[in-house]
Amino acid sequence: MRNEKNLIAVEGYPFIAVAGFTALMFAVLSWKLPAVFAFCLTLFIAYFFRNPERTVPQDENAVVAPADGVVIYLGKAREEHTGVEMMKISIFMSVFNVHINRSPVTGGVVDTFYSRGKFLDVRDERATFENERAGLVIEGPHGKRIVVVQVAGLIARRIVCYLQKGDSVTRGARYGLIRFGSRLDVYLPGEADIRVKSGEKTVAGETILGYLS
């Protein structure tokens, strides 16, 4: 899978290169303030695309957070693609969070979907249905299916997903990212044992959202 060994996600290289080159040009021209600003921007972009290692829980029934961020919604909801009522957990990622997304469970990708849409603030619940989004339906332990949806936000304009229908993935494996602020919606079976609360911070690949019974 892409970005397994990179300290900085490869999707960030073009942005870092452009910002770094701009800083260098300003420095050559002796434009001090623009050069300092461009240099700081280069460092921030590199920080944004950082790709740290994580310690993934080994319990096969554990569902881990797919993103770093804060739980902004927790409750029952009808998942749009499958039409099934499930337990929904929404995680908001600010521009200061790690933006590499990780698989919540080990299993096979049985379906994928993508919808063009708006770029509302992802803290607005309408974003679930109206924003641009890409989703995976993963069949995990004991045939239980979960759905994870990447939702583009007010600033985010690019969803990246490495997985396709028929692929296999392991819990905590990197599977994509969203550039510059966004949200992840995770749908678990209604009988799942939820272990997080609204307002709780999550760490992708480490925080246990719940257990599949």
Side-chain angles (χ1 to χ4, degrees):
M1 196 76 72
R2 190 184 302 178
N3 287 319
E4 286 295 324
K5 302 297 182 181
N6 301 326
L7 293 177
I8 297 175
V10 296
E11 289 83 1
Y13 292 175
F15 296 93
I16 296 170
V18 170
F21 179 77
T22 301
L24 178 61
M25 290 298 98
F26 284 152
V28 169
L29 295 171
S30 297
W31 294 359
K32 294 182 180 180
L33 287 179
V36 170
F37 176 80
F39 178 70
C40 290
L41 180 62
T42 304
L43 293 180
F44 175 76
I45 294 173
Y47 172 77
F48 177 86
F49 284 102
R50 65 197 184 281
N51 182 26
E53 293 295 331
R54 296 288 163 80
T55 302
V56 182
Q58 296 304 304
D59 190 325
E60 69 168 6
N61 293 313
V63 180
V64 299
D68 286 24
V70 177
V71 176
I72 59 171
Y73 180 85
L74 174 61
K76 290 185 178 181
R78 183 170 297 277
E79 198 285 305
E80 183 183 27
H81 181 70
T82 62
V84 177
E85 185 173 82
M86 305 179 78
M87 183 61 69
K88 177 183 177 183
I89 302 173
S90 297
I91 300 171
F92 169 69
M93 296 184 288
S94 77
V95 294
F96 299 104
N97 290 123
V98 173
H99 269 58
I100 296 289
N101 301 144
R102 294 173 178 264
S103 175
V105 295
T106 294
V109 179
V110 296
D111 201 4
T112 64
F113 56 92
Y114 171 79
S115 299
R116 293 187 178 276
K118 301 177 182 178
F119 296 97
L120 301 173
D121 186 325
V122 289
R123 287 166 290 191
D124 187 329
E125 191 54 32
R126 292 177 299 166
T128 292
F129 308 103
E130 298 184 23
N131 278 24
E132 183 162 326
R133 54 203 181 278
L136 300 172
V137 181
I138 304 175
E139 187 170 293
H142 316 299
K144 301 287 186 178
R145 292 189 176 188
I146 68 126
V147 182
V148 57
V149 186
Q150 297 168 295
V151 184
L154 187 64
I155 302 174
R157 300 283 165 154
R158 181 75 170 94
I159 295 173
V160 179
C161 180
Y162 312 142
L163 295 173
Q164 298 178 345
K165 184 176 180 178
D167 288 345
S168 296
V169 66
T170 57
R171 182 188 308 101
R174 301 164 178 87
Y175 84 88
L177 59 89
I178 316 175
R179 291 207 292 252
F180 304 115
S182 42
R183 158 182 176 163
L184 266 288
D185 289 337
V186 187
Y187 295 85
L188 283 66
E191 70 276 11
D193 179 13
I194 304 301
R195 295 301 180 92
V196 292
K197 298 178 181 178
S198 183
E200 185 174 333
K201 292 184 178 179
T202 62
V203 178
E206 292 189 356
T207 301
I208 296 176
L209 300 181
Y211 292 92
L212 299 176
S213 59

